[in-house]
Amino acid sequence: MNVNIKKSKILIVDDEVEILDLLKMVLKKEGFENIYTAETGKMAIEIFKEENPELAILDVMLPDMEGYDICKTIRKTSNIPILFLSAKGEELDRLMGLAIGGDDYITKPFSPREVALRVKIQLRRNMMVNDINKENQETKIKFGPFEIDEEKIEVRKNGIIIDLKPKEYKMFLYMMKHKNQIISKEKFCDEVWGEDFIGFDNTIMVHIRRLREKIEENPSKPKYIVNVKGLGYKLIFKDE
């Protein structure tokens, strides 16, 4: 089992102390280190807010509220996996638990080892989803008011899409990846266009001018794409 999963915080909520102790013991044997238990809904919500667990196991019937209500509270701020425990095995109850945001529904009496297996499955699945989300976020580059989504090939300024031609987009993407760095005309030709610099001096200047017309408030007095005399251009942002 992945060491990251072992360190996951797990919240178990049930008004039967025997069930809490049994599940805690089984999960400890499986290598889970951080297990929190609660016998009431109020205590469960307090622990959730303080500890931010990665997974919750909720009994449906509690003395002060239903596990469904705890689930609704958790879902206001978190997408962690939620497993329901219930003596009610009717299809309607299972569907209700899943409909309000549960990820799994286990009917009492249950096999403790099966619960542990389902916990592992849900944590691994959630970890994979989080990894995918992180990868998707990495396709976005942000700097000042600008954002580039490489997957969608979109450039935005203050959330508004800027229409750039292919070479303008490639130049601006390169500048975003090398913000606050001086980029020579030779570098643009070599790294962005894959062309020799000879004969492209004016072409680079024209594309820079067009870029400024699209991203600057005042292209004649640029504050984002600035000239570095004799060296090239630099993408900067000063938070005013």
Side-chain angles (χ1 to χ4, degrees):
M1 185 169 52
N2 192 303
V3 67
N4 291 328
I5 296 177
K6 287 183 181 180
K7 294 185 180 297
S8 299
K9 294 180 180 180
I10 298 174
L11 170 62
I12 310 173
V13 187
D14 201 299
D15 60 337
E16 296 184 52
V17 178
E18 295 82 4
I19 290 180
L20 291 179
D21 291 342
L22 177 62
L23 289 176
K24 187 172 182 178
M25 179 186 69
V26 171
L27 291 173
K28 286 280 188 181
K29 283 185 177 179
E30 292 293 330
F32 291 99
E33 302 171 8
N34 304 302
I35 301 172
Y36 303 85
T37 60
E39 297 175 40
T40 66
K42 182 181 179 182
M43 189 187 304
I45 291 171
E46 288 175 357
I47 293 173
F48 170 75
K49 291 179 178 178
E50 290 175 6
E51 300 296 337
N52 295 311
E54 278 82 30
L55 180 142
I57 302 173
L58 309 177
D59 184 20
V60 172
M61 302 300 293
L62 295 166
D64 55 342
M65 67 177 71
E66 290 189 337
Y68 299 144
D69 297 319
I70 303 173
C71 178
K72 290 175 183 176
T73 299
I74 291 175
R75 282 291 174 255
K76 290 178 181 178
T77 58
S78 175
N79 287 318
I80 64 169
I82 294 176
L83 288 73
F84 283 114
L85 290 178
S86 177
K88 297 180 178 181
E90 287 81 6
E91 183 181 18
L92 185 60
D93 295 306
R94 292 198 301 272
L95 291 176
M96 181 176 177
L98 298 174
I100 65 169
D103 297 280
D104 204 349
Y105 193 101
I106 303 166
T107 304
K108 297 179 181 179
F110 54 80
S111 161
R113 293 185 66 185
E114 181 185 351
V115 174
L117 177 60
R118 295 193 186 203
V119 165
K120 290 187 217 175
I121 291 170
Q122 291 296 335
L123 284 171
R124 283 177 178 147
R125 184 176 297 163
N126 199 52
M127 188 175 290
M128 288 175 63
V129 170
N130 289 337
D131 288 344
I132 291 170
N133 288 338
K134 285 179 183 178
E135 288 176 5
N136 290 339
Q137 289 174 2
E138 288 171 0
T139 65
K140 294 182 181 180
I141 304 171
K142 296 181 181 180
F143 181 60
F146 304 107
E147 178 180 292
I148 291 184
D149 188 326
E150 291 189 77
E151 187 177 350
K152 295 181 180 178
I153 315 179
E154 283 183 354
V155 178
R156 294 177 182 268
K157 179 182 178 184
N158 295 321
I160 300 172
I161 292 179
I162 302 173
D163 184 24
L164 299 181
K165 302 295 184 186
K167 285 190 176 179
E168 295 168 356
Y169 170 80
K170 290 179 181 178
M171 289 179 70
F172 193 61
L173 175 63
Y174 190 78
M175 296 182 86
M176 286 280 282
K177 288 183 175 180
H178 298 81
K179 51 187 176 288
N180 295 316
Q181 298 178 31
I182 298 172
I183 305 172
S184 66
K185 294 175 184 176
E186 291 88 347
K187 202 75 171 174
F188 274 126
C189 284
D190 185 42
E191 298 290 336
V192 182
W193 292 1
E195 302 278 359
D196 290 330
F197 174 65
I198 298 172
F200 277 88
D201 184 59
N202 289 335
T203 304
I204 295 294
M205 291 172 62
V206 168
H207 279 78
I208 290 292
R209 187 180 74 243
R210 289 175 180 168
L211 263 176
R212 284 173 171 165
E213 288 172 353
K214 294 179 179 181
I215 72 168
E216 301 276 3
E217 284 84 5
N218 184 352
S220 61
K221 295 181 179 179
K223 65 177 184 178
Y224 301 118
I225 301 177
V226 298
N227 282 3
V228 181
K229 193 171 182 180
L231 296 175
Y233 303 94
K234 184 192 290 189
L235 180 66
I236 65 171
F237 171 69
K238 295 180 181 179
D239 193 2
E240 299 174 354

